[in-house]
């Protein structure tokens, strides 16, 4: 582990004044867990973890650190995959652990306020209690937090139906780099009064402000569901099918895909046969929700698709859960093969199949010993390219994949963010005008440059 | 009419070099129409209307004007209602008329690119041709443009289903105040690579950049529709019904409301009896779309509502069109009574009914001779408060309405923007931290301060 820099005693005293001695953690045994991401690929060191309990305390922490020129990394559930919430340059970690909790539910309007440290699962539960649902979901729901999801504009399983986190976000409470508290929690669905500062903070990865709470829109809780695994002979057939399902299947809420080798891997990991046996070249998991018989609706939509080589429809909760378990175990199954390189990319619909067909060869060309694993959210053009069998610091594989993404006019980060891992590629994708505009905005809102300075820019 | 300032001859020559002599219009007879909004309430003067034909030409115009410190007002269809696209301080008008046209439709992905000067109706037609629909619609569809709708984050009739313009916006091409061309047209639904600059420009009312084109997401074209006019005894009953319909009616795509006097006014204007005769205290127009019998679906959802005093269900296209014609003639009918004050506000669901009940009395208290007209998009908490019988420059009425909005934690501009008309109130709603952040961002992206300097900030 890299050595932690020492915390200046004057700053330490100032921070204790703000948060109390119990919430400035400096014992390396205690802070070590906050210095590394869960995959183990990004490992840093920190002089301290500070745990403010309110927006005012966060403002105090930011002001003290700005005055001393000491950088901060905001950290929620630390489930990120791009090194964006880890103190890689010796930053102080600002934890959202004490900013958790749900408050102010609007049952007629379908809105909820949640502290930055609230888990996504807790938001989902509170939404359900109010007779609504939260439109965002992914496997790390019990650990990932509202603050992190806003900071990274997290996507997940239902983007095809409800959009990413930014689409749920009415407004934030956040402490800007200036140390001021921005209170935009009162923003409404239809609110054209001035710049969308909350939307700007969403996806800025903690470089402009520290999100302390969010006001989120809810979506209708739909009572009936169906899920089917569909087999296709090629990525092209699966992409065409997704385009038709998006137009023709009411209530489409997920369209996930993976290849044959991936199906076999996860089946082996779970000790169960794959959903379609033998696994087809591409498996598409299609879910829909609504009122009334969803199995019928799904079957009718699937009936009109070309190229379906096999289908398994889950018509009860247990079968749906089994299919989802397969899908959600993909990351875990791949991890048993070592620490993978993870590239999270999205492509325009007309480039998606070509990318999926070509990427294994591009990787093999620079790393013949590598194995490529492809899965993702085909409904919104998002593929997770995982590569095992290469050293963690081997950049050639990442370069091969991300270079192909840009050739095909895609995005080098679909839902994980840029972090420290993809900064060079972000600049290449966005271009000099966008990067200059981003730098100018960063300087405007974080003039001391202390908020997550190692990521993105 | 105010007198137009003269255009500096050196700047005139420079602009002719950029756009050609045919596209720098300085004859006051020709430019007069661009100096006033369609309601006639906002009347300015301009030395010139410049009509660039490409993003590069827009950049040339912005650069020349920035060098001379001459301010610009971008103008699309000039259908705005808050004086945001009118040269009230003698600005040069930058017209998007030659930036019209639809290109690059992605039929599988459901995406379309349109120039800033393209009408909303043209986008809708191109979407339909590709087998999709555009999620935004409002009465001014034939005149209002993509550029203006992005600059103001325009809402309209279907926000309850698809969100406002920002929710459709994948990315923009725009010329920033620095004179640089930002090309974000390649952004995708799921794209977490850096700040959402397009979303920031959306709703910034031309103060940060001139939008030259937009990449828009499309939504499924749904084959079946139903529409019903429902009567309620109070705004409270109508608001409760909307909350239940949002949760329980699949495919809800519009929930519009108006009072009894408004129903009578528009019926008189059209020479037809209102949908529900006699008009109830509140009429709610509910539309849904989907696959299969929508009249059944709508009837089932309405069946579960309390407080419905009457209902008229439109089960064919002609009856739906007649109901919509009533709704869309509201603005026109009110205009026959004189030039109204128009306040476009949104409220949290739990404050909406109280606001609607109280606002006529608040207005009467400061303008006993005034008449108050209330209609709007109840589904997303948006009411249009129109007031007739008061002088155009009488600020007391606006102050009474917007003051009540802020008391009830609402937004003083739901979908029309701030423009010049509501600047003071925008500052009050957003608060000093947000306004300072907005000013800092403005200075970062428009350092010469020439883009629509009279609005918003």
């Amino acid at each position: 582990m890299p050595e932690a820099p020492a915390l200046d005693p004057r700053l330490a005293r100032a921070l204790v004044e703000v948060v109390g001695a119990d919430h400035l953690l400096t014992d390396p045994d205690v802070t070590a867990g906050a210095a590394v991401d869960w995959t183990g690929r990004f490992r840093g060191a920190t002089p301290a973890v500070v745990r403010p309990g309110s927006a005012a305390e966060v403002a105090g922490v930011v002001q003290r650190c700005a005055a001393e020129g000491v950088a901060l990394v905001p950290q929620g559930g630390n489930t990120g995959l791009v090194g964006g919430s880890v103190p890689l340059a010796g930053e102080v970690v600002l934890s959202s652990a004490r900013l958790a909790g749900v408050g102010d539910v609007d049952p007629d309007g379908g809105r909820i306020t949640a502290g930055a440290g609230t888990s996504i699962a807790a938001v989902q539960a509170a939404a359900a209690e109010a007779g609504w649902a939260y439109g965002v979901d992914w496997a790390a729901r019990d650990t990932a937090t509202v603050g992190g999801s806003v900071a990274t504009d997290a996507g997940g399983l239902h983007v095809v139906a409800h959009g990413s986190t930014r689409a749920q976000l009415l407004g934030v409470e956040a402490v800007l780099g200036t140390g001021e508290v921005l209170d935009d929690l009162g923003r409404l669905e239809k609110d054209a009064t001035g710049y969308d500062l909350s939307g700007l903070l969403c996806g800025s990865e903690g470089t402009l402000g520290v999100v302390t709470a969010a006001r989120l829109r809810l979506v209708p809780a739909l009572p009936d569901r169906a899920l089917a695994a569909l087999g296709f002979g090629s990525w092209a057939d699966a992409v065409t099918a997704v385009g038709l399902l998006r137009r023709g299947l009411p209530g489409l809420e997920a369209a996930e895909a993976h290849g044959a080798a991936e199906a076999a891997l996860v089946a082996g990991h779970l000790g169960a046969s794959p959903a379609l046996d033998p696994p087809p070249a591409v498996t598409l998991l299609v879910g829909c929700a609504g009122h009334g018989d969803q199995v019928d609706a799904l079957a009718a939509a699937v009936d009109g698709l070309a190229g379906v080589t096999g289908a398994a429809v889950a018509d009860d909760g247990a079968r749906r859960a089994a299919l989802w378990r397969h899908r959600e175990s993909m990351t875990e199954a791949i991890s048993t093969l070592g620490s993978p390189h993870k590239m999270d990319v999205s492509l325009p619909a007309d480039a998606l199949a070509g990318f999926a067909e070509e990427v294994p060869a591009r990787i093999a060309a620079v790393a013949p010993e590598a194995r490529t694993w492809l899965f993702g959210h085909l409904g919104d053009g998002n593929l997770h390219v995982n590569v095992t069998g290469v050293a963690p610091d081997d950049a050639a594989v990442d370069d091969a994949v991300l270079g192909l993404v840009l050739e095909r006019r895609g995005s080098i980060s679909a839902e994980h963010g840029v972090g420290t891992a993809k900064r060079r590629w972000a600049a290449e994708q966005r271009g000099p005008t966008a990067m200059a505009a981003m730098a100018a905005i960063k300087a405007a809102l974080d003039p001391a440059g202390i908020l997550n300075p190692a990521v993105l820019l």
Side-chain angles (χ1 to χ4, degrees), chain A residues 396-408:
Chain A
V397 163
D398 304 52
D399 290 353
V401 173
L402 300 181
L404 183 60
V405 168
L406 293 191
E407 278 174 36
R408 302 293 176 109

Side-chain angles (χ1 to χ4, degrees), chain A residues 195-427:
Chain A
Y195 302 170
D196 184 15
L197 299 173
S198 299
L200 176 65
L201 286 168
C202 185
S204 70
E205 303 187 30
T207 61
L208 300 177
V210 180
V211 174
T212 53
R215 183 78 167 157
L216 302 163
R217 74 159 181 140
L218 303 176
V219 298
L222 298 170
D224 301 307
R225 291 203 141 62
L227 188 65
L230 306 178
F232 293 91
S234 69
W235 284 97
D237 283 356
V239 168
T240 302
V242 165
L244 292 170
L245 290 167
R246 281 184 58 204
R247 276 169 282 188
L249 176 59
L252 174 69
E253 65 170 15
E256 307 286 307
H258 56 261
E262 292 76 5
L265 175 72
V266 76
H269 176 69
L270 292 173
S273 58
L276 298 168
D277 201 0
V282 178
T283 299
L284 183 67
L285 202 62
V286 178
C288 66
H291 296 262
D293 193 335
Q294 296 301 301
V295 174
D296 265 11
L298 184 50
V302 168
D303 222 33
L305 300 178
V308 178
T309 63
V313 179
D315 50 7
D316 65 32
R319 287 183 210 189
R320 284 203 306 277
L323 281 184
W324 273 121
R325 189 159 163 251
H326 264 263
R327 165 62 184 86
E328 296 199 335
S329 300
M330 197 70 75
T331 296
E332 199 178 295
I334 292 168
S335 291
T336 62
L337 306 176
S339 182
H341 286 232
K342 289 177 169 292
M343 271 76 67
D344 156 56
V345 306
S346 66
L347 281 303
D350 58 8
L352 205 51
F355 175 86
E357 304 287 359
E358 188 172 347
V359 72
R362 289 283 184 109
I363 293 167
V366 296
E369 73 293 0
R371 292 192 67 178
T372 300
W373 307 95
L374 275 185
F375 64 101
H377 317 292
L378 210 61
D380 32 76
N382 176 198
L383 288 177
H384 298 304
V385 183
N386 282 227
V387 184
T388 54
V390 285
D393 58 354
D394 182 347
V397 163
D398 304 52
D399 290 353
V401 173
L402 300 181
L404 183 60
V405 168
L406 293 191
E407 278 174 36
R408 302 293 176 109
R409 300 169 293 116
S411 168
I412 59 104
S413 173
E415 58 175 3
H416 294 170
V418 172
T420 55
K422 297 179 177 176
R423 273 185 304 181
R424 180 167 67 82
W425 286 100

Side-chain angles (χ1 to χ4, degrees), chain A residues 76-132:
Chain A
N78 200 12
T79 57
L81 291 164
V82 291
S85 57
V86 181
L88 295 178
E91 297 91 341
V92 168
V93 173
L94 192 162
S95 161
S96 67
R98 292 177 63 226
L99 301 168
V102 166
D104 196 6
V105 179
D106 173 356
D108 272 334
R111 305 181 183 105
I112 198 170
T113 300
T118 315
S119 74
I120 301 302
V123 172
Q124 292 168 342
E129 202 171 315
W132 294 83

